Amino acid sequence: MKVLLIQPPSQNPFSDRFYLFEPLAMEYLGAGLKLEGHQVEILDARLEPDIEEACRRFRPEVAGLTGFTNQVNVIKEIAARLKALFPVLFVVVGGHHATVQPEDFNEPNIDAVVIGEGVFTLREIVSALAARTPLSEIQGLGLPNEAGAAGMIFSAPRPYTDLNDLPFPDRSLTSRYRKHYFSEWVKPLASVRTSLGCT
């Protein structure tokens, strides 16, 4: 399947003048999907804001969004725009806020919310969509209540993922953006993940 991973624009673009880190989480997700033979692109909307054009060009079947708490409304707005233009596009949201407060993404324009580490969860979502099998059997998901009732349907929690089990992030997916990433005076910049969560 074709999957577009979208790093949303910053809530406050002024912060991008001080630091602009690569979307390392997306590079991990993309690496995992490519191991399964899926076509993946990362769109860094902080640098290329025309998300709709990227979808028209790439024609993804799945779009993945991530973000922090200050990007919740940004993510919802992007999901609404995408669904308005591409109603059959499957929209998945993950990241820090989705893990801590998944109900905040209980929106008709969002099809699934990933809770916790997303590399294996997203791979299983895409495989289930391709095979047309139920998503409810995938661990670590919040799904809209199809009966129209309030709240979400949650699958069984996903156990913590050993970081040694993750693929190396695929930095080729962000190669066209690489020269733009920096932190204060540090440029060029590459990120490294050394732990799971915060103490």
Side-chain angles (χ1 to χ4, degrees):
M1 296 186 83
K2 297 175 80 170
V3 183
L4 181 65
L5 301 173
I6 303 167
Q7 175 64 48
S10 302
Q11 175 69 30
N12 181 0
F14 186 73
S15 64
D16 296 339
R17 298 183 183 182
F18 296 98
Y19 53 83
L20 191 70
F21 292 98
E22 68 187 288
L24 185 62
M26 296 292 194
E27 293 169 340
Y28 273 106
L29 294 171
L33 289 166
K34 286 174 72 174
L35 286 174
E36 297 286 312
H38 301 293
Q39 290 181 262
V40 183
E41 281 194 14
I42 290 178
L43 176 72
D44 194 330
R46 298 169 300 178
L47 299 167
E48 285 187 86
D50 196 341
I51 297 169
E52 289 86 350
E53 176 55 31
C55 283
R56 290 188 191 97
R57 175 187 51 77
F58 185 55
R59 299 180 182 274
E61 295 150 278
V62 178
L65 292 154
T66 187
F68 296 104
T69 299
N70 67 348
Q71 293 174 303
V72 169
N73 291 331
V74 173
I75 291 169
K76 290 180 182 180
E77 187 259 335
I78 291 171
R81 283 164 41 199
L82 290 177
K83 282 290 193 179
L85 288 174
F86 314 101
V88 298
L89 180 66
F90 192 90
V91 177
V92 183
V93 173
H96 294 282
H97 192 88
T99 294
V100 176
Q101 197 66 34
E103 294 91 347
D104 287 349
F105 295 109
N106 188 21
E107 299 270 330
N109 299 308
I110 296 170
D111 298 297
V113 179
V114 174
I115 301 165
E117 183 62 56
V119 172
F120 297 115
T121 308
L122 185 58
R123 280 169 62 174
E124 292 173 23
I125 289 171
V126 175
S127 294
L129 292 173
R132 300 183 185 277
T133 57
L135 296 178
S136 57
E137 298 175 7
I138 299 171
Q139 294 178 327
L141 280 187
L143 300 167
N145 194 328
E146 295 178 7
M152 301 183 81
I153 299 169
F154 293 98
S155 67
R158 181 172 292 271
Y160 281 116
T161 302
D162 186 335
L163 294 184
N164 293 315
D165 293 337
L166 297 178
F168 285 114
D170 188 339
R171 298 184 193 275
S172 71
L173 293 169
T174 54
S175 59
R176 69 184 184 278
Y177 304 122
R178 181 63 48 190
K179 65 181 179 181
H180 298 288
Y181 297 131
F182 72 99
S183 179
E184 297 170 320
W185 63 87
V186 179
K187 189 176 182 180
L189 181 74
S191 302
V192 178
R193 185 174 182 185
T194 59
S195 66
L196 181 64
C198 301
T199 56

